[in-house]
Amino acid sequence: MWPTSVLPADLEAVTARAEAAIRAHTGACEAAGDVTPEAGAALRASGYTRLTLPREAGGLGATLEEYAEAQRRLGQAGAALALVLAMHTHVVGAAFQGRTLPGPMLAALAGASVEGRLVNALASEPELGSPSRGGLPRTAAVPDGDGWRVTGRKTWATGARELGLAVVSAATPAGEVARLLVPLDAPGVAVEPTWVGALALRGSGSHDVTFGGVWVPAEHVAPPTPAHPASSAWFWTALAATYLGVGFAALETLTAYARERVPTALGAPIATLPRVQEAVGRMAAELTASRALLASAARAWDTAPGPGAVPLLGAAKVHATNAAVATTDLAVRTAGGAALLPALGLERLLRDARAGLTHPPADEVGYGGLGAARLGVEARR
């Protein structure tokens, strides 16, 4: 019934290990409101950090289409921990395909990926809002001897306590934006537990990280460069796939519940009810369509990576996150009161799906960009 996407054996192996790690630790991380040390260790040990690293650098060299399918499976296993790995893999995939960082920084990312150390890009700030909308960071980088010192605060640092390295965006004295590769165990780095009582992704540990004059060698500082389309391609695919997985998890959960739930008044599983069958059918159609759109967009990028392939990926991200929201909502409506309790799992899926709407691109940007491309005009925000 479902379209299949077979991953190469080595990609399949690390994806299966990451899935198992996520399923084993999601409950504990959700309860702790953080990525537990045990979960962090399991994610690192899975080998998934090598997925998007080129083979010549010691990785597994996943294409964007292969990455989309692997990450969808992780999102279905558990969005919060899947996003920890999504942040690492999109940063590595984009940096190497777009060559968006200097050689020494790429070498450090490769080493971290092979060793299993987790990486994230930290750009969001309390006053800046979404970096995708422009603006200069308050986080500052100033020259100091043969290096730079970075001072400031970054928000929404997914997996903060378990990260090994972070690519930190900071403003230079010249009013430009540089990126610095910062070890998160360096003196002056602190994690503040701000991700407390979050509506969604409670187990992602997306706390604030502060930098108090942290020194970074010059070779680990990337000068200001124009945006590269690979950055959007890999980031948007990571998000689309993860949240699409949440929708598939809701479909899986509702399907199992409908087969097992036998009300005494009905005397048969609720799967026999027309309204339940319609709901499952609507969910299956919506998710299958969104999965096909994402695969098509990723394949187009793999065939001809460049600006022309980006608009469809933006629309695929928007479509996937909205599909996740719609299907988790329909699953909760269909299951009824049981969906409100943690035991069934739908209430977590409903909350986690909502988080997809907060990531860029927003609906008007994702669909507007594709529309402008089709119309042959410049996209306006």
Side-chain angles (χ1 to χ4, degrees):
M1 175 181 177
W2 300 110
T4 59
S5 179
V6 178
L7 296 174
D10 48 0
L11 272 66
E12 172 63 35
V14 299
T15 301
R17 286 199 297 269
E19 280 183 284
I22 290 170
R23 293 187 188 278
H25 293 279
T26 286
C29 292
E30 181 82 1
D34 210 339
V35 180
T36 64
E38 295 79 10
L43 295 182
R44 290 189 290 270
S46 72
Y48 196 84
T49 53
R50 296 174 55 228
L51 190 85
T52 59
L53 182 69
R55 291 187 182 273
E56 58 270 24
L60 300 177
T63 65
L64 196 66
E65 185 178 3
E66 290 168 340
Y67 176 49
E69 178 59 16
Q71 193 61 42
R72 183 197 65 79
R73 286 170 50 180
L74 265 57
Q76 186 167 348
L81 293 179
L83 275 179
V84 175
L85 290 173
M87 295 305 159
H88 176 104
T89 43
H90 93 76
V91 169
V92 172
F96 275 87
Q97 185 171 40
R99 312 303 291 185
T100 57
L101 297 172
M105 294 178 72
L106 290 177
L109 288 182
S113 299
V114 171
E115 295 166 11
R117 287 185 292 150
L118 294 166
V119 176
N120 198 350
L122 306 186
S124 298
E125 298 184 358
E127 297 177 11
L128 179 63
S130 173
S132 67
R133 295 289 189 175
L136 200 64
R138 286 290 183 91
T139 299
V142 297
D144 182 11
D146 56 352
W148 292 68
R149 289 198 180 273
V150 58
T151 301
R153 173 186 293 270
K154 294 297 182 180
T155 57
W156 301 325
T158 301
R161 296 191 194 279
E162 296 300 315
L163 296 177
L165 293 172
V167 180
V168 180
S169 301
T172 69
E176 299 175 312
V177 179
R179 287 168 297 161
L180 306 91
L181 190 60
V182 183
L184 290 201
D185 59 356
V189 178
V191 174
E192 293 193 7
T194 52
W195 196 252
V196 178
L199 173 66
L201 306 173
R202 291 176 181 171
S204 69
S206 300
H207 304 297
D208 286 10
V209 179
T210 61
F211 303 89
V214 181
W215 189 81
V216 180
E219 66 176 5
H220 283 175
V221 180
T225 54
H228 194 284
S231 298
S232 293
W234 287 87
F235 185 39
W236 294 350
T237 298
L239 298 172
T242 300
Y243 288 104
L244 186 57
V246 177
F248 273 97
L251 175 60
E252 179 183 57
T253 300
L254 179 62
T255 300
Y257 178 73
R259 289 169 174 165
E260 297 166 0
R261 170 65 173 158
V262 182
T264 54
L266 182 62
I270 62 171
T272 61
L273 295 174
R275 72 171 185 86
V276 174
Q277 295 167 3
E278 179 188 0
V280 170
R282 285 180 179 274
M283 293 171 64
E286 181 72 14
L287 293 169
T288 301
S290 193
R291 182 182 180 186
L293 174 59
L294 177 58
S296 178
R299 193 178 312 122
W301 171 270
D302 288 333
T303 301
V310 170
L312 189 58
L313 286 166
K317 180 272 171 185
V318 168
H319 195 281
T321 50
N322 279 281
V325 169
T327 53
T328 54
D329 180 72
L330 183 53
V332 168
R333 290 170 181 261
T334 305
L340 304 180
L341 299 172
L344 188 56
L346 285 176
E347 59 88 23
R348 173 174 58 80
L349 296 174
L350 178 73
R351 292 186 286 102
D352 286 352
R354 301 293 306 183
L357 304 178
T358 68
H359 295 286
D363 287 15
E364 67 273 17
V365 176
Y367 285 137
L370 180 59
R374 296 284 296 182
L375 292 166
V377 299
E378 184 178 353
R380 299 182 65 181
R381 296 186 179 184

